[in-house]
Amino acid sequence: MASSIENNNEKLTLKSSDGEEFLVEKHVALQSTLLQNMLDSDCSSADVIPLPKIDARTLALVLGYCKKHADASSSKQGELNSFDSEFLKDMDMGALFNLVLAANFMEIKGLLDIAAQKIADTIKDKPHQEVREIFHVENDYTPEEEAAVREENRWAFEGFP
Amino acid sequence: MHSNNKGCRYCTKAEIDQLLSLNINTFCYTVTLEEIGMMISEIDSDGNAHIDLNGKTEYFLGYGRSWLKVNLYFILTVLVRRASVLGALLYSKAEGNGLSEDLYLALLPNQNTLPRNEEDDDVYEEVDDVESEEQNRGGNQLLVALVGFSSRLPRVRLAGCYVVRYEVSGFNQVSGNRLFHHQDMFGLDALGCLSILWSEKTFLSIGGLWGDVISVDDNTLKSLSFEEGRLFIATDIMDRVDGEVELKFRERSIKIRVAEEIPSNVGMMTFEIEIVILKEADSGFVVEAPLDEAYSGRKKTASVVETRKTLGVARGTRPDQEAIDELEETSMDEPIRDWSTLPIELLSLISSSLFLDDFGRFCCVCKKWKLVPSLPVPCPTQCPIPQSQWLMLYRGCSKMELNFFHPLYKDTYRMDIPELSGALLRCSKDGWLLMSRGKHSVFFFNPFTKAKIDLPDLPDHHYNFNAISFSCAPTSSECMVFGIYAFFDHVRFLAISRGEEKWTGDHIKGEHDFHHSHTNPVFYNELVYCLGEDGTLGVFNPKDFS
C-alpha cells in the first residue's frame, strides 16, 4: 500500500480477454483487491496485466466504477451512493452477468455488493417462472420435483399461481 | 346500432370511459389487424360484436364484423398515439361508403382550438389557420373520432397528417346524446404513413437492416406526425447511411428514406425516416431489403461496435463516463447468459438479500439455485425455533393478519391466519404464541407451522387474566402456563402444567398489599415473578398450589 501512495501517478496497463489494453492510474486499479495484491507482491513487473476472464466492454465499466470511487475517496458518500444507483440502472442482464463475474474476479467488494443487490432486486416479487425467463435459466425440475420444492417453501407461493 | 339507418351512433359516456381507461398501450403496437379480428368473441343479432380486450374487458362496437375490425384498430391506435387524449370517441360508417383499412380518423378539437367552419367551401383557405392552431395547440386536448371517409373530399395538411374537412352530415341527425357539431369535425387521413405501420415493430425491422436497434425514440412513437421518425442503432457501417426501404401493406407501398441524422462522433447512428407515398403495390405487410444494394447484407453484430468503442476508451488515460454510457446502450444483443452457471458463492451473495417469499421462489428456479446455502437469517418456515430475532406485529382480534419484520431486511411480510380470528395475543416465546379467545379459551399457536394446542377451558367463574405467561415451548415437558388477575381485593392466579387436565389456582388477600401490574409474569428457576404496580415484586412458587 505504501508504494501505491508514493507512486500515485503511476499507470498500469490492463489487458482484457479480447485484447484491448486499458491505461489505468494506479490508485484507480487499487480499488481491486486482486490488483492490489498483485502490486503488493510485485507481480506488476510485467508491462501489461492480463485479465483473461474479462472482456473489454465489461472492463471499461468496471474501471469507470473504480475511477469514480477512487477519485471521490470517502469525502462524498452521498454522491457515491447516487452514482452507484445510477451505475446499474437500466443495465441489461447480459452486462450485469459479466459485471458481477468481473467484480468477483477482481475482488471489488463495493461493486460486487451493488451488483448482487441489483440482481436480488430483480428477483424480488416475481413468480419463479418469470425469474427463469429473465435470467435464461432452464427449468431442470421435473413437475414432481418442482411441486416438492414449492411445498417446502409453501409460504413463498401465496399470491402466486 | 344495426337498426340505426343512419349507420352511426355515438359512444356512450360509459363506453368512452371504459375505452380510455384500458391499458392498451403495450399490446397495441404488436397487435395486427387479424389479431383484432380474433379478439371478437361474439357477434350478436344486432350486429354488435363483443370484444375481449386484454383477456378481461368486454367491449362492443356496432356495425358488424368487417367494420369493426378496422374501427377498433384505429381507436386503439389513436388512443395510443395520443396518450393525452381525454374526450369522446365516436365512430361511424359513412353513408354508402364502404370502409376498408383506408379508414380515416377525425380529430375533434376540444372546445374552440380549431377555427369554426364558416360554411366556407374553399377548404384550402383553411390550411394556414389549421396548421397554426395545431402548432399552438400544445397541451390542449384533442377529441378523436373515427369516421368513414370518401376519397373525393379535398385534403389539407395538419402537422404532418393529411386532414380533410369533412362534412359528417349524419351526426347532426342522430338524436339523443349528440356531442359535437359537424363543423368541428375534421377527418384526419393518415396517408403520411398508414398508422397501422407506424409501430415499434416496423421500426425495429427497418433499423435491423442497418444494425442492431437500440431504441426507438419515444417521441416517434407518440408523434402526431406520421412522416418522420427516429431510432437509434448500433452499426459498424462507417459510411454515412442514406438509403431507402419499402414498406408494403395490402395494396399500398410506402417508400421510406432512411438517413443518418448526425455524424456519429459518439458512435450511435441516428436515423431520420422520411415517408413518401409511392404507388400501389403487392399486398402483405413486409419490410423488404433496402433498395440500395450497398446496404444489403450488412447486418453487423454489436460486439464489433463495442470493440471499436472500447478502443476509444483505452486510448484515453481514463475511461470516460460518456463512452461507458454508450457501451451500456450497445448491449442489447449480448449473447444470452445462463445464470445457472454463476458460481455458487455469487448466487449465495445474491440470495442473501432475499428471504421468505423471494428466497422460496429463488430455490424453485432451478436445481443449482436451490443448492445455494441458506440464509444468514433463517427463514421461519425452514427453521421455526431460533427466529427470536423476528419482530411480529399483530393488530388484534379484528384482524387476522400477522406482520413479520426482521431488522436486517427492510420488507415486512404478512401472513393471514384465519385460525386467529377473534383471538387476543397474550404472550409469545420460542416461536409460539399464547392466545386467548373469549373468557375461557386459551390456546397455543405456532404461526410458522400453524400448529395449535388447546388448553383446558378456564373455570367458569374466572375472569380474563390481566397477565399471562408460559415457561417454555408447549412441546416441552416442562411447559407451564401461569396467569394472574385481580378479583376485588384478592389477587388470584391460575396455573397449568403440561399433562394436567385442569387449571389449578389460589389467591392472596388484600392484606399483602400486592397489586400486580399488567406486565407478563416471568419464569425463572421454577419460580414466577410478577411485577407490582408500585414497584413491588410478587414471587410465586407454582408447586405450592398445584
Side-chain angles (χ1 to χ4, degrees), chain B residues 319-526:
Chain B
D320 69 89
Q321 191 56 45
E322 193 174 66
I324 289 169
D325 289 345
E326 293 160 30
L327 287 170
E328 286 178 44
E329 293 194 271
T330 56
S331 60
M332 280 192 64
D333 287 344
E334 273 287 305
I336 287 173
R337 311 290 182 187
D338 182 355
W339 287 75
S340 64
T341 62
L342 217 55
I344 204 99
E345 69 266 23
L346 284 183
L347 289 171
S348 178
L349 182 66
I350 293 163
S351 74
S352 68
S353 297
L354 301 169
F355 74 132
L356 295 183
D357 313 41
D358 293 321
F359 185 77
R361 289 193 297 272
F362 181 86
C363 292
C364 216
V365 168
C366 69
K367 288 178 179 174
K368 170 108 181 247
W369 287 23
K370 188 173 187 303
L371 294 176
V372 170
S374 192
L375 298 165
V377 177
C379 167
T381 56
Q382 295 173 332
C383 193
I385 297 306
Q387 81 292 16
S388 55
Q389 304 167 81
W390 289 86
L391 304 179
M392 190 190 78
L393 181 65
Y394 178 68
R395 294 184 186 281
C397 56
S398 62
K399 305 240 180 189
M400 293 168 285
E401 71 202 39
L402 295 176
N403 288 284
F404 290 88
F405 175 79
H406 195 282
L408 286 186
Y409 300 97
K410 57 179 182 283
D411 298 332
T412 299
Y413 283 79
R414 205 185 86 164
M415 293 169 87
D416 285 328
I417 304 178
E419 291 96 318
L420 298 187
S421 171
L424 281 174
L425 175 61
R426 309 305 300 258
C427 183
S428 75
K429 187 179 282 185
D430 295 346
W432 287 87
L433 311 176
L434 183 62
M435 316 285 300
S436 69
R437 182 185 280 129
K439 285 186 176 175
H440 306 295
S441 166
V442 180
F443 60 95
F444 285 104
F445 189 81
N446 187 319
F448 306 119
T449 62
K450 307 265 171 80
K452 186 180 179 211
I453 298 174
D454 281 312
L455 293 176
D457 279 354
L458 293 170
D460 272 351
H461 62 278
H462 285 109
Y463 295 102
N464 245 340
F465 292 116
N466 297 121
I468 187 168
S469 184
F470 59 101
S471 58
C472 54
T475 49
S476 158
S477 60
E478 306 289 309
C479 179
M480 169 182 280
V481 180
F482 180 90
I484 186 166
Y485 64 99
F487 186 75
F488 297 106
D489 61 340
H490 291 45
V491 174
R492 290 182 171 270
F493 36 90
L494 282 176
I496 189 167
S497 294
R498 184 165 171 180
E500 292 177 351
E501 289 178 0
K502 62 185 182 62
W503 295 79
T504 52
D506 204 341
H507 66 276
I508 50 175
K509 294 245 171 57
E511 60 262 29
H512 283 83
D513 204 23
F514 176 74
H515 303 284
H516 70 277
S517 69
H518 283 64
T519 310
N520 276 338
V522 174
F523 285 83
Y524 183 73
N525 278 352
E526 300 184 346

Side-chain angles (χ1 to χ4, degrees), chain B residues 169-224:
Chain B
S169 55
F171 286 138
N172 275 340
Q173 298 161 29
V174 177
S175 59
N177 50 357
R178 185 169 65 83
L179 296 174
F180 307 105
H181 295 293
H182 67 88
Q183 297 100 307
D184 300 332
M185 192 171 300
F186 289 79
L188 182 139
D189 175 357
L191 272 179
C193 171
L194 277 178
S195 54
I196 198 170
L197 296 180
W198 197 262
S199 69
E200 190 164 12
K201 197 171 162 186
T202 304
F203 298 134
L204 293 178
S205 304
I206 294 170
L209 297 170
W210 279 277
D212 294 328
V213 179
I214 295 165
S215 67
V216 178
D217 189 39
D218 277 352
N219 288 331
T220 295
L221 291 176
K222 291 176 192 157
S223 173
L224 189 66

